[in-house]
Every structure is written in structure tokens, then in C-alpha cells.
Amino acid sequence: MSMNNQGRPTGIQNSDSAVPETVTGNRGLQIEEPLIFEQDSAGRCGVDLPEVPAVGPRLGAVKPRGRIGLPGLAEPQVVRHYTRLSQKNYAIDSGLYPLGSCTMKHNPRLNEKMARLPGFADVHPLQPESTVQGALELMAELGRWLATLTGMAAVTLAPAAGAHGEMCGIMAIRSAHDAKGDKGRTKILVPESAHGTNPATAAACGYAVEAIPATEDGRVDLEALKAKLGPDVAGLMLTNPNTCGLFERDIITIAEAVHAAGAYFYCDGANFNAIVGRVRPADLGIDVMHINLHKTFSTPHGGGGPGSGPVVFAESLAPFVPVPYVVQDKDGAFRLVEQAGDGPAFGRMKAFHGQMGMFVRALAYMMSHGADGLRQVANDAVLNANYLLARLQDVMTPSFDGPCMHECLFDDRFLKGTGVTTLDIAKALIDEGFHPMTMYFPLVVHGALLIEPTETESKASLDQFVTALRALAERAKSGDVAYFQGAPRLTPRRRLDETAAARKPVLRWTPAVEPETVAAE
């Protein structure tokens, strides 16, 4: 059975009379593309290979009993298949990507050119240090920029992603308490407005997690925080600006209270784009913070490729920086400190030194902008978000009074009594040619719609997005429920049965007749 028939519609399925059916199922340049396994033709191959010489058994009792099920295709089929799939993707190169708390900004092509330079693109982590002095100098310079922008004393570039950086920070906090013999600190406090990975990280590191409620204006409840501080608290994990798109105005008072209780202050730096060049986190009393290079410093997002989540440390936690890190000797040569030695550091976060391609891209972004340019990045990111808030607040319901920081948050009160949900708005937005905003997060408001435009969107781009959202909001209020419940209509696939997809997901293609597989006899 085709996977297309398992739990999801098989075609474009336009029931609207105005949209004609086609014989092929194609719709102009939107090609109805089968799965690659469905294009299998036994014996077909894109290359000519010599016959495999006979060899003796190498797997003991395990012997092949039939085909392993890989599809046979010619080279043009393979190229067309993946090209057509790529054309169905939405990407930052296609248009506005308004996911809140994701900072989906443009990835400058200059960065890509730099990352492909010989010596950076082909560097190997096991090369002798004498042959990679340029790469080590670049890592040191990137660390210097990060330390300068944050006001911190030490940096590690090793963590492979933001959540990995969170773990690094919490492990440093644990190491600091252990070094003082303070074994009774078993809790991490996490505000409700923090990123969702924060409590998961604290729990993964063995801490009990206690939530701190938000006030009616979307910020940390200072009195509730102080009431939970005590000798059993190891630290606070706070996102600033928070996921409501608001700056924590009591942050210095919060830091003082945390430190007075003998705990450490971890800041999630995922939203650093809103304050880069304007505020140094160390000046706010923060002890440790991770930075997402793919957010603030424009390295590519996701796609299964390498990430990077450097962590910066204040003087209070500088002795606990994990290895490896770059140092410069008196003779000017750069080298990696690979062993933790006799100091209190907890070791290393990953096998090697981090993601070199991401380091090159991030430093290229920093150097091309300069300090004044990075400050302008924050200014424009905040300006764009507030422009959206101002243009939409009369037809949608802002969750909190403005101004906001880098993202604006709406809830579903404007949909009350319409029969239309936040999910319906998102699905209809796809038909308008936009990737939906972040939905149902943060959890502190009902039916959240969180929008982050970033600084790289033009006014024309924002105006087009506003026009679409305003029209959808007004259509929902007019009572056209059927329009929203049928959306999206113009996509390769229509809306899934959300309940069935969650409870009975189909995660692999199953052929009509299963091929014999490799098994032990």
C-alpha cells in the first residue's frame, strides 16, 4: 500500500468547482510526485557497476535471503524527484518566515562564500595544530566577539546546539556547587515564560524543576520567585527577552535575589537578537548564557545539518568552562586546550571542537556588520515587531500591552464565538503563501500566535503579511467557518486528520508485498 494512502489524502483534492481537475494530478508547475519507493523498477540503476566478485561469508550465520528493498531508478528520475520535493519546501529564501522565538532571518551569501574557502571547508579536527593556525585564530576571534558583546569572561564554542548549550551551562552550575561542597541544591527554578527546553535541560541534569508564575503583564512574578529561593535552589533559568516578546524589567533585582540565595543565574540567549549591541548580559547579573548562532548571527537553521550553541561564562563560572578551548601562546601561536587537567572543569561536551562551518559564517556576519551594525540589527528587529503589533492590534488581540521587543504575541480572544481556531488561521495563512507563525506557544496565553519578523524583512514584505492576516481575521469574524475548516486548499496535500495523525502515525512506507529481508538463518 502506498504511504500516500495511509492516514492522509492522496492528491491535491480540490473540491472547489473553480479549480479544474487534471488528468495527471499535476497542477501547472506543482507536480504530483510519488514516493521514491513507488518509482522502483527492478534492475534499473543510474550507474554502471562491475559485477561484485564472489566473497566468502563475513557475517557468520546472517545471510541475505532476497532484495534489501532499495528502489531502482535512473539518474534523471532521482534528480527530478528531489528537485520536485525541494520545490514544495518553504524556506527563508522563499519569503517571510514569521516563526516566533526562532529568528528566521536571511542567511547572507557572503557568509556561505567564506565558509566554502579552502582551509575552512576541508579542515579536519585531527590535523596537527601547526596546519590549522588560521582556523584556530578564527575560533579565538569568534570567542572574543561573543565575550565582548556579552561582557562575559570566558567562552566555549563546543556545544552543538542551543539545548546542548543549556546543558553545558547547567553542568557548569552543578560543577560550581560541587566544588564548594554544596551538595544540597537540588532544584532549578524556571519561569513559565521561559523556553520549553529549559525545564527539560534541568531535569536531564538531575534537578527538580519548579515553575515561577508570570504576572498579568507577562513578566516574572518577582515575589513568587523570592518565595521559592532557598538553600535547595541551584539556579534560575530565565529567557530574556522572554517568549512573550517582553524584556524582563526586574532582571537586575532578580539576579541580586538569586545570588543572595547562593544560586546561579542562567539566561537562555535564544532571543539575544533583540538586544545584541545594546545590552551586555553580564551587566544584568547573568552568570552563564548560551547563544544560538543560527538565530542572532544568521547561520542556517536546521535541515539536519550542523548547529552551534556557544556558551559564555561570567567570572563566577569561568573556571568551569569545558574543554576544548583555544588559547594563544606568548609566541603568537594558537593551540587547543584538550584536557581539563586538575582544575574543576567538568570535561568536554562533544568529541571535537564544534562546527567550523558555523563559526566561519557567524564571524563573517559579525565582521561585515561591525559593532554599530549589530546594534542596528537589534534596533530594526524590535522596530519591525512593533510595526506588526501596531498594524494588527485593532483586528487581533495582543496578549500584553506594547511596546514589545523582537516578537509580538497575540491570543485567540479575537476569534471568540467565531468557531475558528488558531490552527484554522495558520492553515488559511498557508494558502496566502506564508509559513504560519508559532502557534499555541507560549503556554501562558490561550491560543497563542507568536510572530517574529526579524530585521531582514522590508516594509513591503511586512505590509503584505499584514494585509493577509487582517483579511483572515475579518473573514473569521464574518462567520465564514467553512472556509477556514477547509484550508489549506492550494497545497500538495490537504489538512490531515490531526487526531489520527497523532494517535496512529504512519512513519514508513509499506509496499503491497514486503520484500524478503536480510535475516539470520
Side-chain angles (χ1 to χ4, degrees):
M1 179 185 291
S2 165
M3 186 176 180
N4 284 348
N5 292 325
Q6 299 183 41
R8 62 191 180 117
T10 57
I12 296 171
Q13 291 195 353
N14 286 295
S15 58
D16 306 293
S17 59
V19 181
E21 297 290 338
T22 61
V23 174
T24 59
N26 299 337
R27 211 175 140 204
L29 297 180
Q30 186 168 274
I31 306 299
E32 177 60 18
E33 182 66 11
L35 299 177
I36 195 166
F37 288 95
E38 295 174 310
Q39 302 180 49
D40 175 33
S41 179
R44 180 173 293 174
C45 185
V47 294
D48 291 325
L49 297 173
E51 290 293 327
V52 178
V55 295
R58 298 178 180 178
L59 300 176
V62 179
K63 298 179 182 179
R65 298 191 309 194
R67 295 179 61 208
I68 61 176
L70 293 179
L73 290 88
E75 181 178 305
Q77 286 180 286
V78 176
V79 172
R80 286 174 182 171
H81 176 73
Y82 287 105
T83 299
R84 288 168 178 174
L85 291 184
S86 73
Q87 291 168 342
K88 299 180 191 300
N89 289 339
Y90 192 90
I92 191 62
D93 290 344
S94 304
L96 169 66
Y97 218 123
L99 283 173
S101 275
C102 291
T103 316
M104 304 292 287
K105 65 169 70 178
H106 171 66
N107 307 139
R109 292 306 181 264
L110 173 63
N111 303 357
E112 300 300 318
K113 184 177 181 180
M114 295 300 103
R116 286 164 171 75
L117 288 173
F120 292 143
D122 55 6
V123 70
H124 193 283
L126 294 180
Q127 283 183 238
E129 289 181 350
S130 61
T131 68
V132 290
Q133 285 295 297
L136 294 178
E137 182 177 0
L138 183 145
M139 292 169 65
E141 183 67 5
L142 174 61
R144 186 182 72 83
W145 273 81
L146 294 175
T148 301
L149 289 168
T150 59
M152 296 292 192
V155 181
T156 176
L157 301 178
H164 202 209
E166 290 179 25
M167 177 170 281
C168 175
I170 297 303
M171 290 174 72
I173 288 174
R174 178 183 285 282
S175 296
H177 287 305
D178 288 347
K180 293 185 291 188
D182 196 349
K183 303 291 187 179
R185 297 186 179 269
T186 59
K187 296 179 181 177
I188 293 287
L189 305 182
V190 180
E192 291 178 350
S193 58
H195 267 115
T197 48
N198 292 177
T201 296
C205 290
Y207 286 105
V209 179
E210 291 204 8
I212 305 299
T215 59
E216 291 186 358
D217 65 354
R219 294 170 174 86
V220 172
D221 187 325
L222 184 57
E223 295 308 313
L225 170 66
K226 289 180 177 179
K228 292 202 174 188
L229 286 170
D232 59 346
V233 173
L236 168 72
M237 296 186 79
L238 178 144
T239 305
N240 187 50
N242 65 30
T243 54
C244 298
L246 303 171
F247 191 87
E248 293 287 353
R249 53 175 169 256
D250 293 326
I251 190 167
I252 293 178
T253 305
I254 288 171
E256 292 170 349
V258 169
H259 293 150
Y264 292 96
F265 187 174
Y266 177 92
C267 183
D268 185 314
N271 295 335
F272 189 47
N273 200 57
I275 59 175
V276 63
R278 296 189 59 87
V279 178
R280 299 195 311 172
D283 297 337
L284 304 177
I286 292 163
D287 296 298
V288 57
M289 182 178 86
H290 86 266
I291 298 169
N292 297 92
L293 295 188
H294 60 276
K295 295 187 178 184
T296 307
F297 300 109
S298 82
T299 65
H301 274 69
S308 187
V311 178
V312 290
F313 302 80
E315 291 284 357
S316 55
L317 290 176
F320 304 95
V321 177
V323 295
Y325 53 85
V326 181
V327 296
Q328 187 174 18
D329 293 329
K330 292 181 179 179
D331 63 359
F334 294 90
R335 63 182 174 86
L336 281 165
V337 175
E338 296 270 16
Q339 300 295 327
D342 299 326
F346 57 81
R348 63 172 61 232
M349 293 297 297
K350 63 197 305 284
F352 294 115
H353 325 313
Q355 308 293 1
M356 191 68 204
M358 301 303 110
F359 299 160
V360 177
R361 290 172 173 89
L363 185 60
Y365 180 84
M366 294 174 180
M367 296 182 74
S368 62
H369 280 75
D372 57 338
L374 291 176
R375 182 183 178 93
Q376 191 65 45
V377 162
N379 291 346
D380 291 347
V382 173
L383 177 64
N384 278 357
N386 278 281
Y387 179 71
L388 290 183
L389 179 64
R391 290 289 316 275
L392 294 169
Q393 62 186 352
D394 62 321
V395 293
M396 297 171 64
T397 43
S399 300
F400 305 104
D401 292 336
C404 62
M405 293 295 289
H406 60 298
E407 55 194 354
C408 50
L409 176 62
F410 300 89
D411 53 50
D412 62 0
R413 285 174 293 164
F414 74 100
L415 298 173
K416 186 175 181 180
T418 65
V420 178
T421 67
T422 292
L423 181 63
D424 293 333
I425 292 288
K427 297 296 187 184
L429 199 56
I430 295 172
D431 277 343
E432 297 293 339
F434 293 102
H435 193 287
M437 67 290 287
T438 295
M439 303 177 298
Y440 300 110
F441 180 81
L443 302 178
V444 295
V445 302
H446 193 273
L449 302 97
L450 185 63
I451 305 171
E452 181 181 3
T454 82
E455 74 283 357
T456 55
E457 294 302 324
S458 66
K459 182 176 179 295
S461 171
L462 298 181
D463 284 339
Q464 186 182 43
F465 182 65
V466 165
T467 298
L469 263 181
R470 291 184 66 89
L472 292 176
E474 291 165 357
R475 189 164 192 166
K477 293 174 184 179
S478 73
D480 194 354
V481 179
Y483 174 81
F484 288 93
Q485 292 180 345
R489 291 173 172 79
L490 306 179
T491 49
R493 293 293 178 271
R494 300 293 292 274
R495 192 187 300 205
L496 295 173
D497 180 332
E498 301 286 339
T499 303
R503 295 181 179 177
K504 297 179 180 180
V506 179
L507 303 179
R508 65 182 292 265
W509 174 76
T510 304
V513 178
E514 284 277 11
E516 293 183 358
T517 56
V518 176
E521 292 184 343

